[in-house]
Amino acid sequence: SYVLTQPPSVSVAPGKTATITCGGDSIGSKNVHWYQQRPGQAPVVVIYYDSDRPSGIPERFSGSNSGNTATLTISRVEAGDEADYYCQVWDRSSDHYVFGAGTKVTVL
Amino acid sequence: EVQLLESGGGLIQPGGSLRLSCAASGFTFGNYAMNWVRQAPGKGLEWVSVITGSGSGTYYADSVKGRFTVSRDNSKNTLFLQMKSLRAEDTAIYYCAKCMSTSGWPSFDPWGQGTLVTVSS
């Protein structure tokens, strides 16, 4: 089955840039979605189809996808960005959606 | 406003059965595929199942295939998850989530608030 690999944690100072990676075999050929989950809340999509941003999501959130790595970038990090972030793809070979294990972003 | 409201969770003994429901409002329910996603305590997200808008297509995670059945009643704007032969490892918050668009394999938006299923003797 298809595996998505994320770093368990990322720490970043306020105002700096957080970069969260999502690795997978030829992930660049797939559509990647990213979710933010704050403690005690349901997930919210922050980037879909690699780099599109839903309405209401700040422009500070951006995404890219190429080769074997997709990336979620959070610019000018704020305290409210502290959350778990998950990447997701649809794996056509297994007809499964797949989530990465998640990355906990800590704002120092 | 799109709203999803899950219900039916609770404490169930191993080997038991439970049916979850997700009441949808604020959109044309039958036009969108719907999903179940679960999250064990302190763990990450695990996709469970997706059903197409018409209900003609269903897909399952390997961990639940053969034990869980997803269905929908488009006349009542309701999604279901019938769970049988429940195991301790099925303990989780179960979320229903709407596919964001009507084609392809899109992201999920929005998600319900979740319903907790606890499998324990």
Side-chain angles (χ1 to χ4, degrees):
Chain A
S1 59
Y2 194 76
V3 176
L4 295 174
T5 302
Q6 296 183 238
S9 63
V10 166
S11 298
V12 58
K16 300 299 185 182
T17 297
T19 301
I20 305 165
T21 58
C22 176
D25 185 33
S26 299
I27 194 173
S29 65
K30 301 181 183 299
N31 295 312
V32 180
H33 314 300
W34 290 92
Y35 299 87
Q36 175 193 69
Q37 187 180 31
R38 295 188 173 107
Q41 297 186 16
V44 172
V45 60
V46 293
I47 292 291
Y48 63 100
Y49 288 134
D50 296 343
S51 58
D52 290 340
R53 195 174 50 250
S55 59
I57 300 300
E59 292 182 7
R60 302 182 296 102
F61 288 81
S62 62
S64 64
N65 183 20
S66 178
N68 292 319
T69 305
T71 303
L72 173 68
T73 302
I74 312 172
S75 304
R76 303 180 299 283
V77 165
E78 302 174 356
D81 299 332
E82 192 161 277
D84 294 324
Y85 291 84
Y86 297 89
C87 57
Q88 179 203 35
V89 301
W90 171 258
D91 177 34
R92 200 173 303 161
S93 65
S94 63
D95 285 337
H96 284 26
Y97 273 106
V98 179
F99 284 99
T103 298
K104 181 177 181 61
V105 170
T106 300
V107 180
L108 301 171
Chain B
E1 178 192 6
V2 175
Q3 289 193 330
L4 301 172
L5 184 62
E6 301 94 336
S7 60
L11 176 63
I12 187 77
Q13 290 190 340
S17 298
L18 206 59
R19 189 176 84 154
L20 306 182
S21 299
C22 172
S25 61
F27 64 104
T28 305
F29 183 67
N31 285 356
Y32 291 86
M34 296 292 296
N35 300 268
W36 289 99
V37 178
R38 68 185 181 183
Q39 187 169 35
K43 302 299 184 182
L45 302 174
E46 180 187 15
W47 172 78
V48 171
S49 181
V50 61
I51 183 169
T52 59
S54 65
S56 61
T58 58
Y59 303 88
Y60 298 92
D62 294 346
S63 58
V64 307
K65 195 168 187 178
R67 299 187 300 122
F68 290 11
T69 302
V70 62
S71 62
R72 63 193 298 160
D73 185 339
N74 286 348
S75 69
K76 296 183 178 178
N77 291 349
T78 304
L79 174 72
F80 302 101
L81 185 67
Q82 179 69 51
M83 304 184 295
K84 299 180 179 178
S85 302
L86 284 162
R87 307 165 179 166
E89 54 264 37
D90 295 318
T91 295
I93 296 172
Y94 285 74
Y95 295 100
C96 69
K98 169 185 166 289
C99 277
M100 199 171 178
S101 60
T102 58
S103 63
W105 297 104
S107 59
F108 302 167
D109 181 60
W111 299 52
Q113 88 293 343
T115 187
L116 177 62
V117 173
T118 302
V119 184
S120 174
S121 55

